[in-house]
Amino acid sequence: MDIDTYYQMSGGSDFRDVTSLFTLASQAMEPGSMVAIDGFSLHDAMTAIEIGDPRLDTGMQLEAVERPEFNPLTPLLPEEICWIIDRSMAYETEWHASNQLAHTVFTLLYVHCLNDVDPDVLPIFSMIDLDPSRPLELITLVLRAYTSGLLKSCNLAWNELSRGSLLDAEDWHSDKSEVSLLEGWPVEAAVARLDSGLTWLSTTTKVPLLWQEALKFRLQFRRNILLLLNYTESLPRDLGVFDEILQSTRHCLSIIRAHPCRSITSSSPARAAFDPYIARRLNTFLPVRIIDLPSWEHTCDAYEHLLNGWEDIARLSKTYQISTWNQVGFQQSWFSAPVARPAYIRSCAQTLFFDGMQVVHSQPQSWLVDRLFEETIGVSYTVFAQHWGGSGTVSLVELERRVIHTVIPHIRGLWNNPARRRRFLVKSILDWHMIYDTLCGLVESVDTINIDPVAFRTLNQFPKAIVLWRLASIREVILSGFQLELYHPLERPFAYWFAAEVIDIHLNYLDAVLKGMAGVVPHNSPSRKEIHYQHVFLVALQAMSMAMFMSLIRSFPPNTIFNQWEQLRTNLRRRYKWAFNSAYDDYDFEPVVLEPDFTRFLREVQEIQGQEIMNNTELKDHAEKSSKSSSEYFELAQRLLQSLISTNNTGTLEGNWGHDRMRLLLGMSETCQELQSYFSGSTADGDTSQILVSKLDWTRSFSNNIPKTPWFPSVRLQGGAEA
């Protein structure tokens, strides 16, 4: 290769050879020694070196972290066994929280030496108790049984998670590091081993009564968890047995929560039972990562969430209304974002709804088409299909295929993690329009001369039903941005304004559907009941959104939006790129909601700030909408919410799901009162500066981590507390 003589090397070219200088300086050093600044360790040096894969470098063990040798047959006290079990429970919840097995469950060293503590293969002399307070059966019967149950529990959860509903390395981690989870071992054998441990604890005199009870509840809890995991695959069969086990598990958890095992001494041999650096000895590419164990209360809360999820799964297994699946899917995300429910529960929900062949265990995929329209507008799909020769005909096969391929991903997508769930909803917005376009084309082709006017009015209801599902997805995409903390402070007013615009169109379509139901759908039908609930709820939500829009705009210095509009407009087009999708041009009928009207937004911003930048005649169309103050909007929302609360109106949702819906209404009502008081006080003081707005907290970082409402801020008092 020719040398470029004109090439200028960075730093110049007048380098000098300093090898001899370093050779001379190193002569005073001992072989193998090194020079480093204070605090610099060999580990620091190794982590800076890439040897093939940089993740290999963290497998080095330093002398400072060398651990005592672990002997699985070391006799332990009952309280030490209890401590090991409690710690392993915490690690299990951390695996369900999307950590690696090598960093959680596998740090329990008994996992890797179950055969070494098998009483059937141990020599007779090793079974002799040298210390009566430390019977060896606590290891060979109790701890071995619990560890076996723990591994089998992880195996059953792993099998469900590996179905592919959720993403490996995003929602959970599948790497088993070639460690056995007792895959080939039947569940019945694990249950039998736990029963043997329970039997020994019930009959032995070697363990104090207090610790007998503590260990029995922990083994029973593990047995129940194992059975719940096993029975979940067969729901809704054995639903009665499942419910009994679930209630027994809740009882065990309440006892365990109330009686945690006290900490053991630092010199206890039980501490050697866990090795947080076990990953360096496993067949894995993972770097060593030390997991900070949660508190005991947090561990019990994690199990409580798991049990609540199982309760929902049991109810969903006998739920054959897709509108209920839809509402429950939305609600479970409203109260959990930005943190998702356990991945195992979300995977079970997706598998339960559609297992690759059937819907909700036994229904054919075509069943979804009829349920979609029956539950949305109260009219069966057969009423529509009869005008084209019935369901499955050539004219309708494409429509039915699109409905199936949209509804299934839509419902299943609601149980994804919050960020991916939002992406699924964005994708479904176009899919719903494809169905709408097909329906409109079919209705337009009907000969209006030879059809009864009532029948034609009913046909026009079917495209409106699809619009309602699409508008709900658009609204959720916009508002979920607050849960995920996506919006810049300047983007928040637009998000509230755009949400209010979408809700306004949604309300118009609800009115149109109710009008079309007249004389066709009974007044006491579930679809009418849900539409009436949604109408009141959406008016309240729209009023709150408009109040926030107006309050946030007034909090900015004059002309802030206009001065930064070019950059803000670019950000908004990027944020709402799904609304500018050119794919809509390929369809015959325009979507009901597509691109946000930036000009209209600026007009309303101008009117709120009282600026005379545009011609006043351009503002007349919006005067009525903007005539209310933010305080009046909050009052309107609170009146509507109280009307639902006072009548215990939760639409078609009942039981725990109805309680969740009521909890949302109560939270929104409290938020209305709190924000109205806050903004009114700021206005009265003549100070709506950004300093006061900074007291509004959209994050989910409060100590209780339970926001009053998922889309609106709370007011922070002094010290970061919540009002």
Side-chain angles (χ1 to χ4, degrees):
M1 181 178 66
D2 294 336
I3 298 177
D4 186 356
T5 56
Y6 296 99
Y7 174 73
Q8 297 295 322
M9 183 179 295
S10 178
S13 59
D14 54 340
F15 293 102
R16 290 181 296 170
D17 188 348
V18 295
T19 304
S20 59
L21 181 63
F22 281 100
T23 301
L24 180 63
S26 63
Q27 289 178 353
M29 297 176 64
E30 295 294 330
S33 62
M34 62 179 292
V35 177
I37 61 175
D38 292 339
F40 186 86
S41 66
L42 180 58
H43 181 265
D44 297 321
M46 291 298 294
T47 53
I49 302 173
E50 292 191 11
I51 307 175
D53 190 321
R55 290 174 292 190
L56 298 175
D57 301 329
T58 55
M60 182 188 65
Q61 179 180 0
L62 302 179
E63 293 182 4
V65 295
E66 285 186 352
R67 301 181 57 79
E69 182 178 354
F70 169 70
N71 180 4
L73 291 175
T74 300
L76 298 174
L77 294 168
E79 52 265 41
E80 293 174 324
I81 298 293
C82 194
W83 180 85
I84 291 174
I85 290 176
D86 287 0
R87 194 172 179 87
S88 68
M89 290 173 62
Y91 274 126
E92 183 188 22
T93 62
E94 286 301 292
W95 178 60
H96 280 291
S98 191
N99 288 295
Q100 298 279 356
L101 282 167
H103 301 148
T104 54
V105 176
F106 290 170
T107 61
L108 174 60
L109 297 183
Y110 286 98
V111 165
H112 311 281
C113 56
L114 284 176
N115 291 333
D116 297 335
V117 294
D118 186 348
D120 294 333
V121 299
L122 288 176
I124 296 296
F125 69 86
S126 64
M127 300 295 292
I128 300 175
D129 293 330
L130 300 179
D131 185 348
S133 65
R134 294 178 169 85
L136 196 59
E137 289 87 349
L138 286 174
I139 302 290
T140 60
L141 293 180
V142 176
L143 187 55
R144 179 169 176 263
Y146 186 90
T147 305
S148 301
L150 173 64
L151 286 177
K152 195 60 189 177
S153 299
C154 292
N155 171 231
L156 295 179
W158 192 97
N159 290 342
E160 170 58 44
L161 290 164
S162 63
R163 291 177 183 265
S165 299
L166 303 179
L167 295 182
D168 189 5
E170 180 174 301
D171 294 287
W172 72 294
H173 292 278
S174 65
D175 183 25
K176 293 189 283 188
S177 307
E178 298 188 4
V179 175
S180 171
L181 291 179
L182 307 181
E183 292 87 350
W185 204 42
V187 175
E188 293 77 9
V191 172
R193 186 172 290 179
L194 286 163
D195 287 339
S196 297
L198 286 167
T199 301
W200 182 84
L201 284 170
S202 300
T203 57
T204 186
T205 58
K206 298 180 180 181
V207 179
L209 183 60
L210 175 64
W211 291 111
Q212 280 187 36
E213 294 300 314
L215 290 171
K216 281 167 60 178
F217 274 112
R218 282 159 173 79
L219 258 64
Q220 185 64 49
F221 180 77
R222 173 53 52 197
R223 184 182 187 275
N224 289 350
I225 291 290
L226 186 58
L227 290 175
L228 288 172
L229 287 161
N230 191 41
Y231 278 115
T232 301
E233 300 179 3
S234 61
L235 288 174
R237 298 192 308 273
D238 304 318
L239 189 57
V241 177
F242 185 90
D243 287 337
E244 289 179 6
I245 298 172
L246 185 60
Q247 295 309 314
S248 173
T249 311
R250 288 191 184 278
H251 174 67
C252 290
L253 181 61
S254 65
I255 299 297
I256 294 172
R257 182 195 289 267
H259 300 88
C261 180
R262 62 176 181 265
S263 180
I264 59 177
T265 63
S266 58
S267 60
S268 170
R271 293 191 177 274
F274 292 91
D275 182 5
Y277 295 92
I278 189 65
R280 66 175 177 245
R281 293 157 48 192
L282 301 178
N283 189 1
T284 179
F285 63 88
L286 298 172
V288 173
R289 180 184 170 211
I290 309 301
I291 299 293
D292 293 328
L293 277 185
S295 66
W296 180 242
E297 278 299 313
H298 188 280
T299 297
C300 293
D301 288 342
Y303 278 115
E304 191 73 38
H305 294 325
L306 196 60
L307 297 180
N308 292 339
W310 261 315
E311 186 172 347
D312 282 346
I313 294 298
R315 291 195 63 196
L316 286 170
S317 69
K318 54 183 180 180
T319 299
Y320 295 91
Q321 295 81 31
I322 62 171
S323 58
T324 301
W325 276 85
N326 186 55
Q327 291 300 326
V328 172
F330 277 129
Q331 285 189 177
Q332 60 89 24
S333 63
W334 291 343
F335 291 105
S336 60
V339 179
R341 284 198 173 188
Y344 171 77
I345 296 299
R346 293 186 285 118
S347 179
C348 285
Q350 295 190 43
T351 302
L352 182 62
F353 183 75
F354 182 65
D355 59 8
M357 295 185 63
Q358 294 180 314
V359 179
V360 196
H361 288 293
S362 59
Q363 302 299 326
Q365 298 179 34
S366 57
W367 170 81
L368 288 170
V369 182
D370 187 65
R371 296 311 307 167
L372 175 68
F373 296 105
E374 175 74 31
E375 297 174 25
T376 307
I377 58 176
V379 182
S380 173
Y381 174 68
T382 56
V383 174
F384 181 90
Q386 66 184 358
H387 295 278
W388 287 271
S391 176
T393 57
V394 176
S395 302
L396 300 178
V397 65
E398 181 63 20
L399 168 66
E400 294 166 4
R401 185 190 67 82
R402 285 182 173 177
V403 169
I404 292 170
H405 289 177
T406 299
V407 173
I408 290 176
H410 172 82
I411 299 295
R412 283 168 56 92
L414 296 178
W415 271 269
N416 278 294
N417 63 67
R420 190 157 294 277
R421 169 180 162 273
R422 189 174 187 270
R423 297 189 196 106
F424 268 85
L425 287 172
V426 167
K427 180 182 181 299
S428 73
I429 293 173
L430 177 59
D431 295 336
W432 287 117
H433 177 69
M434 292 165 59
I435 302 173
Y436 171 77
D437 184 81
T438 304
L439 280 168
C440 287
L442 290 169
V443 173
E444 191 178 66
S445 66
V446 172
D447 185 0
T448 56
I449 298 176
N450 299 320
I451 189 173
D452 179 72
V454 175
F456 185 70
R457 185 184 68 186
T458 302
L459 288 180
N460 276 292
Q461 291 282 85
F462 284 81
K464 294 185 179 73
I466 300 302
V467 172
L468 295 180
W469 283 74
R470 182 172 181 270
L471 291 175
S473 295
I474 293 175
R475 183 185 75 245
E476 187 64 22
V477 167
I478 298 170
L479 293 177
S480 64
F482 291 104
Q483 290 177 275
L484 298 174
E485 303 174 27
L486 299 180
Y487 297 131
H488 183 274
L490 286 179
E491 295 180 35
R492 289 172 185 158
F494 180 85
Y496 283 122
W497 175 85
F498 193 23
E501 293 288 302
V502 172
I503 293 172
D504 193 54
I505 298 172
H506 198 155
L507 291 169
N508 292 335
Y509 270 83
L510 286 176
D511 291 335
V513 168
L514 281 174
K515 184 178 180 181
M517 285 182 173
V520 179
V521 181
H523 286 280
N524 60 349
S525 68
S527 55
R528 273 183 179 271
K529 183 178 181 181
E530 183 64 22
I531 286 178
H532 282 299
Y533 168 84
Q534 289 291 337
H535 197 283
V536 178
F537 172 76
L538 289 177
V539 173
L541 182 58
Q542 182 190 35
M544 293 181 70
S545 298
M546 282 302 299
M548 285 302 302
F549 162 63
M550 297 174 68
S551 299
L552 292 177
I553 290 298
R554 289 192 177 115
S555 72
F556 295 144
N559 295 326
T560 298
I561 296 292
F562 295 98
N563 293 339
Q564 303 186 42
W565 176 243
E566 288 303 319
Q567 181 62 45
L568 179 58
R569 182 176 180 274
T570 301
N571 292 344
L572 293 176
R573 286 187 65 90
R574 187 182 302 114
R575 180 76 66 199
Y576 302 95
K577 58 185 177 183
W578 50 266
F580 300 92
N581 193 342
S582 60
Y584 287 101
D585 298 335
D586 299 334
Y587 299 97
D588 297 329
F589 295 87
E590 292 185 359
V592 174
V593 172
L594 190 57
E595 299 179 7
D597 190 340
F598 290 146
T599 302
R600 184 171 179 173
F601 169 71
L602 290 176
R603 287 171 179 169
E604 296 202 20
V605 170
Q606 175 191 341
E607 181 178 346
I608 291 171
Q609 291 188 332
Q611 303 297 319
E612 298 295 335
I613 299 176
M614 295 185 179
N615 192 325
N616 286 335
T617 59
E618 296 178 325
L619 302 176
K620 291 180 180 178
D621 293 338
H622 313 288
E624 182 179 353
K625 183 176 180 180
S626 300
S627 59
K628 288 187 175 67
S629 65
S630 61
S631 180
E632 290 173 325
Y633 273 121
F634 279 128
E635 289 177 1
L636 171 62
Q638 192 163 8
R639 285 199 307 271
L640 293 170
L641 292 168
Q642 285 299 324
S643 70
L644 294 174
I645 295 170
S646 61
T647 58
N648 199 29
N649 186 351
T650 58
T652 55
L653 294 186
E654 299 175 349
N656 290 342
W657 297 333
H659 293 321
D660 288 342
R661 183 171 267 187
M662 184 57 63
R663 183 158 64 103
L664 175 66
L665 298 176
L666 289 169
M668 292 175 66
S669 179
E670 291 178 17
T671 300
C672 280
Q673 185 175 2
E674 177 185 314
L675 292 175
Q676 180 186 2
S677 175
Y678 178 73
F679 284 121
S680 297
S682 299
T683 305
D685 296 338
D687 186 359
T688 56
S689 65
Q690 185 65 30
I691 295 176
L692 286 180
V693 174
S694 67
K695 293 183 180 179
L696 300 180
D697 195 340
W698 279 267
T699 68
R700 298 296 177 264
S701 58
F702 298 126
S703 58
N704 58 9
N705 202 31
I706 303 178
K708 295 176 182 176
T709 174
W711 313 297
F712 299 95
S714 296
V715 179
R716 285 183 303 198
L717 302 178
Q718 295 296 329
E722 180 186 358

